């Protein structure tokens, strides 16, 4: 994933460079302090994503995007949350980061970018990134069996490993595709493709028995029926 940064404040540049440097497969191709410099670069070069400050010295970030022919994915970075609504009117903008933003919030933006990029690259596998003890793990969604909530933690269970992060199951329900993952219990989200068999109260994935909550049962059965048709 090739990236450029357009940011006139050097401390903000440094933060982005630090964060991007932790992401597997991400490469900073160039860094610019003005949109005009970046525009000249983009005339002869292609990138996958631009990390773009809105308040630039020569032209605003939003106006700059409108001048770029076939713009790549854009992640807005700014200290002003008031621009969020107007920025999302531009289809190429994937996410909006308000300074100062944490590395975990940055990771969510990266996951959104990669998800959109993969829509046009069907040969690649969709993935997400997990920050565990300052080490970034790339996890392919197709490899996940299920997610399990444990108080303030979420366990990601694959056929070969278990990864644990500090987060809520609610956040991941909103992040994961509802066509591929479904919440079946207050403590579990499962990969629909990994369900091997089920009863009225339990399902099994890789011979692991997982309870089905009564409030989630009808939705689960509807999804399974739809996929079997």
């Amino acid at each position: 994933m090739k990236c450029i940064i357009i940011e006139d404040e050097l401390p903000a540049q440094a933060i982005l460079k630090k964060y991007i440097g932790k992401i597997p497969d991400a490469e900073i191709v160039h860094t610019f302090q003005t949109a005009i410099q970046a525009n000249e670069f983009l005339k002869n070069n292609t990138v996958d994503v631009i990390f773009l400050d809105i308040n630039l010295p020569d032209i605003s970030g939003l106006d700059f995007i409108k001048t770029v022919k076939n713009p790549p994915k854009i992640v807005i970075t700014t200290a002003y949350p008031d621009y969020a609504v107007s920025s999302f009117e531009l289809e190429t903008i994937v996410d909006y980061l308000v300074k100062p933003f944490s590395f975990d919030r940055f990771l969510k933006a990266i996951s959104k970018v990669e998800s959109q990029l993969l829509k046009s690259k069907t040969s690649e596998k969709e993935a997400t990134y997990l920050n565990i003890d300052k080490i970034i793990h790339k996890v392919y969604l197709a490899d996940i069996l299920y997610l399990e909530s444990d108080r303030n933690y979420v366990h990601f269970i694959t056929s070969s490993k278990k990864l644990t992060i500090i987060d809520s199951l609610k956040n991941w329900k909103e992040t994961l595709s509802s066509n591929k993952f479904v919440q079946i219990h207050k403590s579990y989200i499962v990969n629909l493709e990994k369900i091997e068999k089920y009863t009225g109260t339990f399902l099994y994935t890789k011979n692991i028995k997982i309870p089905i909550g009564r409030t989630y049962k009808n939705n689960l059965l509807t999804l399974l029926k739809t996929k079997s048709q």
Side-chain angles (χ1 to χ4, degrees):
M1 181 166 51
K2 293 183 178 180
C3 317
I4 64 171
I5 298 168
I6 308 177
E7 169 63 68
D8 63 323
E9 297 179 359
L10 295 181
Q13 279 189 18
I15 290 292
L16 283 168
K17 288 178 180 178
K18 177 182 177 181
Y19 286 177
I20 296 170
K22 294 181 178 182
I23 305 300
D25 306 326
E27 174 191 0
I28 302 174
V29 178
H30 217 300
T31 301
F32 302 95
Q33 289 186 274
T34 70
I36 291 176
Q37 293 171 335
N39 192 45
E40 289 300 314
F41 174 84
L42 291 171
K43 288 178 181 178
N44 300 303
N45 299 273
T46 58
V47 296
D48 298 308
V49 56
I50 299 174
F51 292 92
L52 176 66
D53 186 13
I54 286 181
N55 296 287
L56 295 167
D58 47 10
I59 182 176
S60 79
L62 295 181
D63 289 336
F64 162 72
I65 295 169
K66 298 172 185 177
T67 69
V68 180
K69 186 177 180 180
N70 300 319
K73 302 304 178 184
I74 308 288
V75 175
I76 294 293
T77 63
T78 182
Y80 301 95
D82 297 342
Y83 289 107
V85 175
S86 60
S87 70
F88 277 119
E89 293 175 357
L90 300 172
E91 292 183 2
T92 191
I93 294 177
V94 177
D95 208 346
Y96 187 102
L97 299 176
V98 178
K99 303 172 186 175
F101 47 87
S102 68
F103 180 61
D104 284 342
R105 179 63 184 87
F106 173 82
L107 272 182
K108 290 183 178 180
I110 287 290
S111 292
K112 289 181 182 179
V113 170
E114 181 156 297
S115 177
Q116 291 201 16
L117 290 174
L118 287 171
K119 288 180 180 179
S120 58
K121 299 178 181 179
T122 56
S123 62
E124 297 185 32
K125 296 171 67 178
E126 188 174 358
T128 191
Y129 297 95
L130 304 179
N131 181 14
I132 303 173
D133 295 331
K134 299 182 180 180
I135 298 175
I136 310 307
H137 297 257
K138 184 175 184 178
V139 181
Y140 292 109
L141 299 189
D143 294 338
I144 297 173
L145 300 178
Y146 63 92
L147 283 68
E148 179 182 3
S149 174
D150 181 10
R151 297 184 181 179
N152 296 323
Y153 298 89
V154 176
H155 306 300
F156 287 72
I157 311 299
T158 74
S159 57
S160 61
K161 58 189 174 183
K162 174 181 177 181
L163 299 170
T164 300
I165 63 171
I166 300 174
D167 209 336
S168 70
L169 205 63
K170 179 182 177 181
N171 287 340
W172 285 95
K173 181 182 179 181
E174 296 171 353
T175 301
L176 295 170
S177 168
S178 59
N179 294 324
K180 298 177 182 178
F181 290 85
V182 59
Q183 185 165 7
I184 63 160
H185 186 276
K186 65 180 181 180
S187 299
Y188 293 95
I189 291 175
V190 299
N191 185 338
L192 284 166
E193 296 294 336
K194 302 297 184 180
I195 297 174
E196 297 172 340
K197 55 186 178 180
Y198 60 92
T199 68
T201 53
F202 294 95
L203 63 77
Y204 295 81
T205 174
K206 294 293 182 180
N207 294 320
I208 300 170
K209 185 178 180 181
I210 302 175
I212 299 172
R214 280 187 290 180
T215 58
Y216 303 93
K217 180 178 177 180
N218 288 339
N219 182 51
L220 171 63
L221 295 179
T222 299
L223 287 171
L224 290 173
K225 183 178 179 180
T226 300
K227 290 183 73 66
S228 65
Q229 292 176 346

